[in-house]
Amino acid sequence: MSLKRFGVSLEDNLLDSLDKFVTDNGFANRSQAIRFLVEKNVAETKWQCNHVVAGTIIIMYDQLKKDIALKIERVQQQYKDVILSSSQYYLNQNFCLHIVTVTGTAQRLTELSDGLITIKGIKHGKLVMSRAD
């Protein structure tokens, strides 16, 4: 998919909030954070009906980052009721592909996904859902 560039005008306080969001969540830049927020909004709007869904959450991270595996485990512990399985695949010395298979209400899965994807140090994350009821 090709990228398109466009300009955005923001008030100083909103830009400061965006920059804080970028820093707090470990995004590489503003563009990555804005893409995340737009995708999140689209997904949440699409699933507002809150059907029972099944899906996967995929995250990529540098396993050498301090305590990242522990942070992932802490988030997953809060969502044991919707997690069917959780697997890690070590792609090389540093990078890990973590896949979580889930089922439950769209809202609950979105909460879990947001909790995992926004962990500082996560390089990429995505939730894919399909209706299951």
Side-chain angles (χ1 to χ4, degrees), residues 32-133:
Q32 185 183 27
I34 290 170
R35 276 193 300 275
F36 168 79
L37 292 169
V38 170
E39 287 176 356
K40 179 180 179 224
N41 186 34
V42 168
E44 286 176 359
T45 300
K46 184 177 179 180
W47 295 105
Q48 278 180 345
C49 54
N50 213 26
H51 293 287
V52 173
V53 296
T56 58
I57 302 165
I58 301 168
I59 55 176
M60 284 278 276
Y61 62 92
D62 182 343
Q63 64 183 353
L64 299 179
K65 293 280 185 178
K66 186 176 181 181
D67 298 329
I68 198 162
L70 181 59
K71 290 174 185 176
I72 291 168
E73 183 60 29
R74 283 183 186 149
V75 171
Q76 288 186 148
Q77 284 296 319
Q78 298 171 34
Y79 293 90
K80 291 187 290 189
D81 58 309
V82 296
I83 295 175
L84 299 174
S85 69
S86 178
S87 303
Q88 296 80 31
Y89 301 93
Y90 301 97
L91 304 176
N92 59 36
Q93 265 186 299
N94 294 2
F95 285 97
C96 182
L97 171 65
H98 188 101
I99 301 172
V100 184
T101 307
V102 291
T103 188
T105 62
Q107 179 182 2
R108 185 99 170 120
L109 301 189
T110 300
E111 288 173 6
L112 169 56
S113 175
D114 289 349
L116 291 171
I117 292 169
T118 59
I119 292 172
K120 188 171 183 168
I122 297 296
K123 299 292 184 194
H124 175 76
K126 185 161 188 136
L127 166 63
V128 178
M129 297 187 283
S130 183
R131 224 172 132 172
D133 62 356

Side-chain angles (χ1 to χ4, degrees), residues 8-22:
V8 176
S9 300
L10 298 174
E11 294 84 7
D12 287 339
N13 64 334
L14 193 53
L15 182 59
D16 291 343
S17 294
L18 176 61
D19 288 339
K20 183 174 179 354
F21 181 76
V22 168

